[in-house]
Amino acid sequence: MTRYVRSAMIDALSMDYIRTARAKGLREKVVIYSHAWRNALLPIITSIIGWFISIFSGSVIIENTFSLNGMGKLYWTGLNNLDFELVLAIQMFYTVVSLIGSLLMDISYGLVDPRVRVDK
């Protein structure tokens, strides 16, 4: 993750608007935190929320491999026992979690980058 943040900051610091901000005479701290950091956060937000959502998709494999009790093992047991109501309920939970993650991602884009905001 640190390397990902570093590469996003290097990409953001090499943009033309950063050179323009430095040419205007802004302090380096203002250039980095106000201009570069906010634009470098967009791919980082995407990866963090994507990793969070992928935790739920990997739970089925991990819990069955290591004999852990949890939603993944319950999902697998429901599939093996043909308990379709249970399987659909767990799948609905996974779907709601991914939708909430996507909503959080979109809201955080609006907080970080003012160009993404919806005007009234």
Side-chain angles (χ1 to χ4, degrees), residues 34-77:
S34 295
H35 298 331
W37 178 244
R38 292 181 77 155
N39 287 314
L41 274 179
L42 292 175
I44 295 166
I45 288 170
T46 304
S47 66
I48 288 174
I49 294 178
W51 287 345
F52 176 73
I53 292 171
S54 69
I55 289 172
F56 290 100
S57 65
S59 67
V60 175
I61 297 167
I62 297 297
E63 289 175 8
N64 283 316
T65 303
F66 296 109
S67 297
L68 301 171
N69 292 327
M71 293 287 290
K73 188 168 185 179
L74 186 64
Y75 188 72
W76 187 258
T77 305

Side-chain angles (χ1 to χ4, degrees), residues 72-84:
K73 188 168 185 179
L74 186 64
Y75 188 72
W76 187 258
T77 305
L79 283 172
N80 286 333
N81 294 334
L82 301 176
D83 188 3
F84 297 119

Side-chain angles (χ1 to χ4, degrees), residues 2-48:
T2 305
R3 287 190 292 171
Y4 197 64
V5 171
R6 181 180 181 271
S7 73
M9 278 298 288
I10 288 172
D11 287 343
L13 286 172
S14 67
M15 297 292 177
D16 290 336
Y17 61 88
I18 299 295
R19 274 189 243 128
T20 304
R22 287 181 176 144
K24 285 186 342 187
L26 294 176
R27 289 182 290 146
E28 190 66 21
K29 194 180 268 190
V30 172
V31 170
I32 289 175
Y33 290 115
S34 295
H35 298 331
W37 178 244
R38 292 181 77 155
N39 287 314
L41 274 179
L42 292 175
I44 295 166
I45 288 170
T46 304
S47 66
I48 288 174

Side-chain angles (χ1 to χ4, degrees), residues 83-101:
D83 188 3
F84 297 119
E85 291 84 10
L86 175 68
V87 171
L88 286 174
I90 294 174
Q91 187 63 43
M92 179 73 82
F93 172 73
Y94 287 159
T95 304
V96 167
V97 166
S98 72
L99 287 174
I100 289 172

